[in-house]
Amino acid sequence: MALAFISILSFFAYQIITKINHKKEVAENIKTIPEFIYQNINGGNFTNKNLKEGIPNLFVYFNSECEYCNEEAKIIKQNIDKFKNIQLIFVSLEKPQLIKMFAVKHQLTAYNNVHFLCDSKVTFATTFDVKSLPCLVLYDKNQKLIEKIKGQTKTEILLKKLTSE
């Protein structure tokens, strides 16, 4: 009986330690933009090597049916001129055609600094440690993590965080 109790206790302790170590590893991996490869809405690949150097990056994890995600995209479009020196990378688990419809609906396909990507292998959430929609992951011009923000966020707050040095 005591041996079974000790075995169960050891198992749970191992699980907890493993989970803590994994969280630390993920936190360390996202301090700078991690390596990634996703499909863009035109069928090509987009990786961290496609990111322009020297400008901030805003990753927007979204779903086309999410009301808050749609509102976030609408607000970004209304303020697109304020984001001209920031790369906007929208990432979704959905099929490329749904992502493209979302991009077209919000009139965000004509901007060189806006990218829409398909996470078909479902790796973005674990790679960038996000758990909600929308989730915004902000990186400065040196590709260092500024902050992860859950939910819809005002443009002024995003711009202040992305452009302050």
Side-chain angles (χ1 to χ4, degrees):
M1 181 81 166
L3 184 62
F5 178 73
I6 291 171
S7 295
I8 291 170
L9 196 60
S10 297
F11 173 76
F12 284 123
Y14 172 78
Q15 294 287 40
I16 291 168
I17 291 168
T18 302
K19 195 172 251 184
I20 289 169
N21 287 338
H22 177 72
K23 280 188 171 286
K24 285 181 184 175
E25 186 181 319
V26 168
E28 188 64 33
N29 287 344
I30 64 170
K31 281 185 179 179
T32 57
I33 298 175
E35 288 189 15
F36 65 83
I37 181 167
Y38 300 114
Q39 181 184 0
N40 66 30
I41 56 175
N42 299 317
N45 285 335
F46 189 95
T47 74
N48 52 303
K49 291 175 179 51
N50 293 108
L51 297 173
K52 291 183 185 133
E53 292 183 22
I55 65 170
N57 292 278
L58 170 59
F59 288 85
V60 181
Y61 190 54
F62 78 99
N63 181 289
S64 66
E65 295 180 9
C66 163
E67 182 181 331
Y68 298 110
C69 302
N70 276 282
E71 192 60 31
E72 189 73 51
K74 180 180 170 187
I75 291 167
I76 288 172
K77 170 58 177 148
Q78 289 169 347
N79 294 280
I80 195 68
D81 56 317
K82 295 176 184 171
F83 287 97
K84 68 179 179 242
N85 295 319
I86 297 167
Q87 279 186 111
L88 302 161
I89 301 101
F90 286 80
V91 182
S92 177
L93 302 170
E94 298 173 294
K95 300 215 176 298
Q97 54 269 35
L98 281 176
I99 298 169
K100 193 170 194 169
M101 286 169 48
F102 178 89
V104 169
K105 171 184 171 185
H106 292 288
Q107 303 170 343
L108 290 167
T109 57
Y111 302 95
N112 291 334
N113 63 321
V114 182
H115 308 279
F116 285 87
L117 308 177
C118 172
D119 178 18
S120 60
K121 294 185 177 122
V122 191
T123 58
F124 186 87
T126 52
T127 301
F128 286 83
D129 190 33
V130 298
K131 295 169 180 61
S132 62
L133 293 170
C135 189
L136 311 174
V137 187
L138 291 66
Y139 285 92
D140 69 14
K141 66 180 184 178
N142 299 312
Q143 298 191 350
K144 303 272 187 244
L145 180 67
I146 299 170
E147 185 177 355
K148 286 186 304 181
I149 303 173
K150 295 177 185 176
Q152 195 177 330
T153 307
K154 291 182 178 178
T155 302
E156 299 78 31
I157 294 169
L158 289 176
L159 291 169
K160 185 175 182 185
K161 290 177 183 288
L162 286 163
T163 57
S164 64
E165 285 297 318

